[in-house]
Amino acid sequence: MTWDELDAHLDTLPGTVSAYAGRLDAAPTWTRHPDATHYAASTMKVAVLLALHRAAEAGTLDLDAPVAVRNRFDSALPGAPRFSCDRDYDNDEAVWQREGGTAPLRWLAERMIVRSSNLATNICLRDVGLPAVAHAWQLAGARHSVTGRGIEDFAAREAGITNVVTAADLAALLGGLAAGAARPGPLATPAACAAMLDVLHAQQFREDLAAGLPDGVPIAHKNGWVRGVRHGAGVVYPPDAPPYVLVVCTTTDLAEGEGADDDACRLLADISARVWAARHDLTAAD
């Protein structure tokens, strides 16, 4: 199937499917609505991860120092009541077992990615601050993505304060981390970029982009889902071709928001498999 044929197939599906596929430091081989905005779901957690590591490098945060694990957070809407996360809506009981105690920020940041913990995310946001996350997006070259509030900050959501991403911006962020691990770049030191990629490689939810790859192929990635939304963003490391960035963002009725077994997951896996099959033909850097 050619890229045009894939686009034609995706045109028949409900909602909006955005995509970006290409090698690092090269023009993308295939894009589809790359600048269309989607509700971010958990993909915004990568920008939070970058903000934390940048703060650690600047000396304003110690990722290994214990911080309070409390489920009460200030709303992004000035004057709104504080809000809490719903334990039943989270994916990581390990963080909830620390509630009322402490945990290192580095551990919380890992749980934010590998188990997509909402409670860990809001604690990390509390300590690093929304402006630092906005700066992380800016450094990555994002043009449209915004992290405006914490997860389950419903007062802010009702006021129109939200979190949005685009396929192009997620590609810039993930691709920037991968490139930055090899040589100095604008996001963080190579050591910090490599550490973040290690966390992204350890992602435990592998039902979408990773499911479209052969067993054992490394992918540093983050996904996100709620009802009506399923996204996957990552860097794939083939053993026989250069690494490539793949992002698929969907706002669609195919996404049931209940885990692995829905049509949106299978769609992302299918697109991932098609890009994998074309890995030798992706655009090379000049």
Side-chain angles (χ1 to χ4, degrees):
M1 180 179 287
T2 67
W3 302 118
D4 287 343
E5 290 170 337
L6 178 55
D7 275 324
H9 166 65
L10 296 176
D11 284 342
T12 69
L13 302 179
T16 301
V17 179
S18 300
Y20 180 110
R23 293 183 183 172
L24 302 179
D25 298 328
T29 300
W30 173 57
T31 62
R32 175 185 171 83
H33 307 313
D35 295 320
T37 55
H38 300 258
Y39 175 65
S42 291
T43 58
M44 47 76 78
K45 295 171 182 177
V46 182
V48 179
L49 181 69
L50 174 57
L52 287 167
H53 279 267
R54 286 187 54 82
E57 289 191 319
T60 56
L61 281 180
D62 180 354
L63 297 185
D64 295 309
V67 300
V69 180
R70 292 193 300 267
N71 186 24
R72 295 291 290 171
F73 305 101
D74 292 333
S75 173
L77 179 65
R82 303 186 82 197
F83 70 96
S84 301
C85 291
D86 183 348
R87 189 169 188 163
D88 293 335
Y89 186 61
D90 210 333
N91 300 300
D92 190 8
E93 185 62 22
V95 178
W96 288 90
Q97 290 172 357
R98 301 280 192 102
E99 188 182 6
T102 63
L105 269 176
R106 189 182 306 277
W107 181 80
L108 291 165
E110 291 171 357
R111 304 308 293 184
M112 172 179 71
I113 299 297
V114 303
R115 291 298 303 172
S116 208
S117 169
N118 293 336
L119 178 57
T121 301
N122 282 349
I123 295 168
C124 290
L125 268 175
R126 176 197 71 195
D127 285 17
V128 76
L130 288 168
V133 181
H135 187 52
W137 279 120
Q138 180 183 22
L139 288 171
R143 296 189 299 146
H144 305 289
S145 296
V146 175
T147 301
R149 61 170 174 83
I151 298 170
E152 300 180 69
D153 183 353
F154 298 130
R157 184 188 68 182
E158 293 305 312
I161 301 171
T162 191
N163 303 322
V164 296
V165 293
T166 71
D169 289 349
L170 285 169
L173 177 57
L174 272 294
L177 291 177
R183 61 182 182 275
L187 298 188
T189 64
C193 288
M196 287 182 269
L197 287 173
D198 285 344
V199 175
L200 291 160
H201 275 293
Q203 167 67 248
Q204 295 179 15
F205 294 100
R206 301 179 59 82
E207 61 268 14
D208 40 54
L209 295 186
L213 302 173
D215 289 345
V217 173
I219 176 172
H221 68 122
K222 184 72 190 80
N223 39 25
W225 61 92
V226 296
R227 183 170 294 278
V229 166
R230 167 66 68 161
H231 307 323
V235 181
V236 180
Y237 294 85
D240 59 349
Y244 62 86
V245 181
L246 174 60
V247 180
V248 184
C249 296
T250 70
T251 300
T252 174
D253 292 341
L254 300 176
E256 298 174 1
E258 298 296 334
D261 191 19
D262 70 12
D263 289 339
C265 278
R266 287 187 283 273
L267 173 63
L268 266 65
D270 178 65
I271 293 173
S272 181
R274 293 179 189 279
V275 176
W276 169 262
R279 66 193 180 280
H280 297 293
D281 302 318
L282 298 178
T283 306
D286 294 334

